Amino acid sequence: MTQELVSLTIIMAVAAVSPIVAQLIPGKFIPQTVLLLAAGTALGPYGLGVIEVNDAVKLLNELGMAFLFLLAGYEIDPKRLAGHQGKVGLLTWGITLGLAWLVVTFLPFFTKQGINGVATVIALTTTALGTLMPILKERNLEGTPIGDAIISYGTWGELGPILAMAILLSTRTGWQTMLVLGAFLVICLLCAMLPTKALRTGHRLYRFLTENANTSSQTLMRLTTFLLIFLVTISALFELDAVLGAFAAGFILRYIIPDGSKSLEMKLEGVGYGFLIPVFFVVSGAAINVRAVAGRPALLVAFIVMLMLIRAVPVYVALSLDKRKNPLSSHHRVTVALYCTTALPIIVAVTSLAVKVGTMQSDTASTLVAAGAITVFLMPLLGSITYQVADVHPVTAVREIAHTPSDWRTIVHEHAQVRALLHHQDRLKRMAETLESLEKQEGLNGLDSRRAELVERARLEIDRQLKELGLDPQLTTQLPHNYRYPKN
């Protein structure tokens, strides 16, 4: 017991320090998740060895993964799945799955690496929606058109691989697998229908639960935790992966409480992000064999590149073909595609299962998990860079510099100013009013003409962003007050 407590103490110390370190890093471009993974790798069995992944830590790790997928499932609005963007997201994931199968099956590289199996195919189609949600919140993307698109496409990038794992990696025959999944679905439906019926009829038990939700009884929190552990246990009894039960629990919870519950969400996030989920990420990092990864750099790089080609490209193409319904600009589509290529928890789950049944070597699994860990850092970083670069309009700047090379410093400065103006609309409005008054009085001199050009460029950019939000620039001159630019 002493060693278990020592390991848990070190893990929680890492969890406590990580947000502080992330805050101190200039630009805050490294998510806390990356620091947790890196610390786990450094301190785990393949590093300094101060964290021992024993049975107690493994149980907390499983609960951490369960809470991560519970919160991911809870973020999904069932209406969104049935809506237009949800259907497009499903079709896109299906195309991704087909592309992954073709590449893994027929590309000689994967055959030589010994990873041309179903587990690798599934790993190449995943989006780590549970991992992305805190990153989206940190960067103020939640509730924006970009965030909505990431969630819509990312939902199937998480749900699709979970279902594929249950069907394609099952050791049962086809009809047995479908029978088991059918039984699991019936149990989930019962878990969703009984509380919903009690809520609609105002049952006495429901009133008791809601009245004691914020007392020492914590009735709703206890029932939610019970639902999670119950479905994870059912998954284990049915020999399904635990992530299926956890994801189903979150989805059911959202169905029961369609409008959400701030009080319950805060408690779930407190237990999840405050305790169990950091344990999962640290232990996931501890599972990475650094020497094995260093010995197979080609596989590490190739897997990340294939993730981008197989997952990011179809998402970008789908958004481009669906511009009428989702009028995102080119660089916003790139941002969504990059975020949807973030992958880790499913890779951890699918490689662990493959190693357990003997279809994948542990060294190979370490390399794929390391690749997934790198995407958690790399893809959100690249996504934020697309904002910084694109808002400066580099193509237009290059054309202007090519026309008048001697003015390159002024051109670069002006484009940077346009981006700054977009982030300060009040300042832009005051500048426009000043210029309009000067025009009426005595005309514009050289300096004021440059300022007028800056204002016009900024106005055009705001018009473009208004169109993305589905607003008419002729009727609305200001971006909504709740419109949030993503943080760098």
Side-chain angles (χ1 to χ4, degrees):
M1 180 59 73
T2 303
Q3 183 57 47
E4 285 88 341
L5 288 172
V6 170
S7 295
L8 184 58
T9 300
I10 296 171
I11 290 171
M12 293 316 299
V14 170
V17 171
S18 291
I20 301 172
V21 175
Q23 183 72 19
L24 293 175
I25 295 174
K28 305 173 188 175
F29 65 94
I30 300 181
Q32 298 176 34
T33 304
V34 175
L35 299 177
L36 294 170
L37 290 164
T41 304
L43 301 175
Y46 300 106
L48 298 176
V50 294
I51 294 177
E52 181 181 316
V53 186
N54 43 54
D55 289 341
V57 173
K58 285 180 180 177
L59 177 60
L60 290 175
N61 174 56
E62 289 292 322
L63 289 174
M65 184 167 65
F67 254 86
L68 182 67
F69 281 96
L70 169 77
L71 292 171
Y74 180 74
E75 292 289 346
I76 297 170
D77 184 355
K79 295 179 182 177
R80 182 175 291 167
L81 285 179
H84 172 78
Q85 202 165 40
K87 294 175 182 176
V88 175
L90 173 59
L91 178 62
T92 304
W93 182 81
I95 293 171
T96 301
L97 182 66
L99 287 174
W101 180 80
L102 289 172
V103 168
V104 172
T105 303
F106 296 105
L107 198 66
F109 175 81
F110 286 97
T111 304
K112 291 178 182 177
Q113 298 290 332
I115 55 169
N116 58 337
V118 176
T120 308
V121 173
I122 295 173
L124 284 168
T125 67
T126 181
T127 296
L129 185 62
T131 305
L132 280 175
M133 289 312 301
I135 297 176
L136 297 181
K137 291 176 181 178
E138 288 174 14
R139 298 185 175 182
N140 286 335
L141 279 168
E142 193 179 26
T144 67
I146 308 271
D148 290 343
I150 292 170
I151 293 173
S152 293
Y153 284 86
T155 294
W156 286 109
E158 190 125 68
L159 180 57
I162 290 172
L163 295 175
M165 286 172 61
I167 297 170
L168 301 178
L169 294 179
S170 175
T171 56
R172 304 181 181 91
T173 60
W175 70 268
Q176 289 175 328
T177 299
M178 299 311 296
L179 184 62
V180 168
L181 286 175
F184 181 78
L185 178 60
V186 169
I187 293 172
C188 290
L189 290 174
L190 289 173
C191 290
M193 291 171 61
L194 291 176
T196 305
K197 187 174 181 180
L199 185 151
R200 289 173 180 171
T201 58
H203 195 275
R204 186 167 51 188
L205 176 61
Y206 172 75
R207 291 198 302 271
F208 170 79
L209 294 175
T210 53
E211 288 169 1
N212 290 274
N214 295 314
T215 66
S216 59
S217 299
Q218 292 294 320
T219 48
L220 288 182
M221 184 64 187
R222 292 185 189 184
L223 275 176
T224 301
T225 307
F226 167 71
L227 174 67
L228 171 64
I229 295 176
F230 172 69
L231 290 180
V232 168
T233 303
I234 293 295
S235 298
L237 292 174
F238 285 179
E239 296 182 1
L240 299 169
D241 197 273
V243 297
L244 180 61
F247 200 82
F251 197 75
I252 290 169
L253 188 62
R254 172 58 73 179
Y255 177 78
I256 297 171
I257 317 173
D259 297 326
S261 168
K262 290 294 182 183
S263 174
L264 181 61
E265 289 167 21
M266 289 180 64
K267 294 168 189 175
L268 289 172
E269 290 180 355
V271 175
Y273 294 121
F275 176 34
L276 294 170
I277 293 175
V279 173
F280 166 70
F281 284 119
V282 173
V283 175
S284 296
I288 298 174
N289 187 337
V290 180
R291 292 180 181 177
V293 174
R296 308 183 73 177
L299 175 59
L300 180 73
V301 174
F303 191 80
I304 294 173
V305 171
M306 285 299 152
L307 271 172
M308 296 184 70
L309 293 176
I310 291 172
R311 184 69 184 137
V313 173
V315 170
Y316 179 84
V317 172
L319 286 167
S320 300
L321 295 175
D322 196 35
K323 284 181 68 175
R324 181 172 294 181
K325 293 286 186 178
N326 298 289
L328 295 176
S329 63
S330 178
H331 70 281
H332 283 180
R333 296 196 297 273
V334 171
T335 300
V336 172
L338 288 170
Y339 271 97
C340 285
T341 314
T342 305
L344 180 67
I346 294 291
I347 293 180
V348 173
V350 75
T351 54
S352 298
L353 187 58
V355 170
K356 186 177 180 180
V357 299
T359 59
M360 183 180 290
Q361 295 180 353
S362 59
D363 288 356
T364 303
S366 285
T367 305
L368 299 190
V369 170
I374 290 172
T375 64
V376 175
F377 162 72
L378 183 62
M379 300 308 167
L381 174 63
L382 293 176
S384 69
I385 288 175
T386 61
Y387 267 101
Q388 295 186 53
V389 173
D391 281 346
V392 179
H393 293 280
V395 176
T396 305
V398 169
R399 288 174 182 169
E400 293 176 2
I401 292 171
H403 187 260
T404 53
S406 59
D407 292 338
W408 70 270
R409 292 179 186 274
T410 303
I411 293 169
V412 170
H413 179 67
E414 286 180 354
H415 280 260
Q417 279 187 302
V418 170
R419 182 177 183 275
L421 285 171
L422 292 173
H423 289 255
H424 301 282
Q425 289 191 79
D426 291 339
R427 180 183 165 200
L428 171 62
K429 186 177 180 181
R430 288 196 302 270
M431 185 183 292
E433 290 172 349
T434 302
L435 290 171
E436 286 174 3
S437 64
L438 286 173
E439 281 180 330
K440 292 177 181 178
Q441 292 175 9
E442 53 188 27
L444 300 175
N445 56 35
L447 177 62
D448 289 331
S449 297
R450 287 191 179 277
R451 291 168 67 192
E453 185 179 349
L454 286 176
V455 171
E456 183 60 27
R457 285 182 179 178
R459 281 173 171 167
L460 290 173
E461 179 65 11
I462 287 178
D463 286 351
R464 183 188 63 74
Q465 294 183 7
L466 285 168
K467 290 177 182 177
E468 285 188 6
L469 293 171
L471 301 174
D472 186 354
Q474 299 296 326
L475 303 175
T476 307
T477 58
Q478 286 284 93
L479 285 167
H481 291 297
N482 62 351
Y483 181 80
R484 298 187 297 277
Y485 288 89
K487 294 180 181 177
N488 297 333

